[in-house]
């Protein structure tokens, strides 16, 4: 009879904000990639006060074993956008897989704007 008892299933789940933060922090390593609110991802610190900024432009749908990621980003003018797309995919796949073991079902990236160098300099000066 002991073997016939209903077994309890252990589960590890993630809130969407956890995946958003992982993706946001992973993106900080990509030069020229700017979040949807126009601030540089690469210039940020790990300070919790910056957490809302880190997740700006990142939407995720988290399942039990899979995650879908939608990104809206601004790119620095002159950057090779297909190369940035490949870098984003590589970094996100690596970090999400390493930290959560979730399978990434899809990564969708929407470029919402391109920013010229003089505007980038002004943004850096105001941070």
């Amino acid at each position: 009879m002991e073997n016939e008892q209903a077994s309890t299933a252990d589960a590890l789940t993630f809130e969407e904000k956890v995946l958003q933060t992982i993706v946001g922090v992973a993106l900080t390593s990509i030069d020229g990639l700017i979040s949807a609110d126009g601030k540089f991802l690469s210039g940020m610190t790990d300070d919790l006060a910056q957490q809302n900024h880190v997740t700006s432009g990142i939407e995720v749908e988290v399942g039990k074993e899979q995650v879908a990621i939608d990104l809206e980003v601004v790119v620095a003018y002159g950057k090779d956008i297909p190369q940035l797309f490949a870098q984003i995919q590589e970094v996100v796949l690596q970090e999400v897989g390493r930290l959560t073991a979730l399978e990434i079902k899809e990564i969708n990236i929407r470029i919402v704007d391109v920013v010229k160098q003089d505007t980038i300099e002004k943004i850096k000066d105001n941070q």
Side-chain angles (χ1 to χ4, degrees), residues 96-110:
V96 170
R98 182 178 73 84
L99 296 173
T100 68
L102 290 172
E103 174 190 349
I104 295 182
K105 182 176 163 184
E106 61 185 28
I107 300 174
N108 300 305
I109 301 171
R110 181 171 171 242

Side-chain angles (χ1 to χ4, degrees), residues 4 10 23 29 36 38 53 61 64 82 85 108 121-122 124:
E4 293 178 7
D10 295 332
V23 171
S29 66
H53 172 67
E61 291 180 32
K64 289 183 180 180
F85 179 74
N108 300 305
E121 308 263 332
K122 289 177 186 173
K124 283 184 178 178

Side-chain angles (χ1 to χ4, degrees), residues 8-67:
T8 58
D10 295 332
L12 174 63
T13 59
F14 297 94
E15 290 289 326
E16 289 179 356
K17 65 183 176 183
V18 173
L19 274 294
Q20 288 173 316
T21 301
I22 290 170
V23 171
V25 172
L27 294 178
T28 62
S29 66
I30 299 175
D31 182 46
L33 186 62
I34 304 169
S35 72
D37 64 4
K39 294 184 180 173
F40 286 91
L41 289 169
S42 59
M44 296 174 14
T45 65
D46 291 337
D47 187 353
L48 286 177
Q50 298 283 346
Q51 188 145 353
N52 286 338
H53 172 67
V54 171
T55 62
S56 176
I58 302 169
E59 296 296 325
V60 297
E61 291 180 32
V62 183
K64 289 183 180 180
E65 297 177 2
Q66 294 181 328
V67 61

